[in-house]
Amino acid sequence: MYAMRLSPSLDLGSPKPGVPPRDPPRDSLRSSSIVRSRALPVAFGRVMVRCSSLDCAVQRRISALGAVGQDGHTLKEELDDSPVSVELEPICSESQFDRVVAEAQQLEESVIVVWMASWCRKCIYLKPKLEKLAADYYPRLRFYCVDVNKVPHKLVARAGVNKMPTIQQLWKDSEKQAEVIGGHKAYLVVNEVREMIENECTA
C-alpha cells in the first residue's frame, strides 16, 4: 500500500494567518449546484438575443415593436387583444331578423345588416373588407349578413332590397335608418359605410 502525500501547493485546508482567502476557481462554479435560468433565443430584428425565461416576454414585446415598420398589423396583433376582423353573423330567417333588431332596440343600439348573394362576385370581394370594418366597432356595433337567396322574399322586400351588389343598411329602433349600395370600389364603399355609422350613431 502506497501512501500519497499532498503537496503544500494543493493544501485545501484553512488559509494561513495573514493570507486572504482566494476566490474559488471558475471551474468549481460551473460544476456547482447553482440553478441557472434557461437561456432562450429571441429574434430582435436581424440579431439573435439570448435571454432568460423571465425576460422572454419583454423581448417578444420589443420584437413586435421592431417589426412594425415592415407590417402595420404586427403591432396590433402582438400588443393589442382587439380582433383584426369580425365575421359577419348570418341571418337565415325572418324570425331571426326580427329578434336581432328587437334586441338591439332594447339595448338602444344599432346594427348593420349586409344584404348579399352567393352568386354576386362584388359581394364576395367586399365581405372581408366589411369584416375588418366590423372589428373597428366591435363590440358596441354588430354586423350581420343576409343571403337574399336563403331567406323569404317577403323579408327582402320588407328591407327594400331590389338589386345587387351588396347593400349595407343601418337599423335602429327596429327601422331602417340609412343604407349604402356597394356598386363601386371597395374602399369607397367602406368609407361610405363608416360615414353612415358615424352620422347615425352620433345623431
Side-chain angles (χ1 to χ4, degrees), residues 7-199:
S7 173
S9 61
L10 296 178
D11 187 10
L12 300 179
S14 58
K16 297 180 180 180
V19 178
R22 292 179 296 177
D23 295 334
R26 293 184 178 179
D27 293 339
S28 63
L29 290 177
R30 293 176 183 174
S31 61
S32 65
S33 60
I34 298 177
V35 178
R36 289 166 292 183
S37 60
R38 183 180 180 183
L40 298 175
V42 175
F44 178 70
R46 295 184 178 180
V47 181
M48 294 298 295
V49 181
R50 300 186 67 85
C51 64
S52 66
S53 58
L54 296 178
D55 296 332
C56 285
V58 177
Q59 292 290 352
R60 282 194 294 267
R61 311 283 271 198
I62 298 175
S63 300
L65 289 172
V68 172
Q70 300 177 0
D71 185 359
H73 295 294
T74 303
L75 179 61
K76 186 173 184 180
E77 294 174 357
E78 292 288 339
L79 304 181
D80 193 358
D81 294 333
S82 60
V84 177
S85 65
V86 176
E87 185 177 358
L88 306 183
E89 185 176 345
I91 294 178
C92 304
S93 65
E94 187 172 6
S95 60
Q96 182 186 2
F97 179 85
D98 292 336
R99 184 171 62 254
V100 166
V101 295
E103 290 176 355
Q105 182 179 9
Q106 291 179 355
L107 298 174
E108 298 182 350
E109 296 178 348
S110 303
V111 294
I112 299 296
V113 181
V114 180
W115 301 83
M116 55 195 309
S118 57
W119 48 263
C120 176
R121 292 186 178 180
K122 187 71 174 181
C123 303
I124 296 173
Y125 175 76
L126 190 56
K127 184 179 179 181
K129 314 294 184 183
L130 295 173
E131 289 176 340
K132 289 184 178 181
L133 177 64
D136 294 340
Y137 294 96
Y138 180 85
R140 64 184 180 90
L141 182 64
R142 298 189 178 276
F143 284 60
Y144 297 86
C145 65
V146 182
D147 189 330
V148 297
N149 295 323
K150 295 182 178 180
V151 295
H153 180 71
K154 177 184 176 182
L155 176 60
V156 179
R158 173 183 161 191
V161 178
N162 49 28
K163 59 182 178 180
M164 288 283 110
T166 309
I167 296 178
Q168 297 82 30
Q169 296 179 340
L170 186 145
W171 286 70
K172 187 177 182 180
D173 297 330
S174 297
E175 294 184 359
K176 180 178 65 175
Q177 304 294 332
E179 69 179 11
V180 171
I181 299 176
H184 36 278
K185 293 183 178 181
Y187 77 93
L188 295 175
V189 175
V190 171
N191 289 340
E192 289 183 6
V193 174
R194 187 187 300 274
E195 184 178 356
M196 175 183 68
I197 294 172
E198 296 298 333
N199 291 339

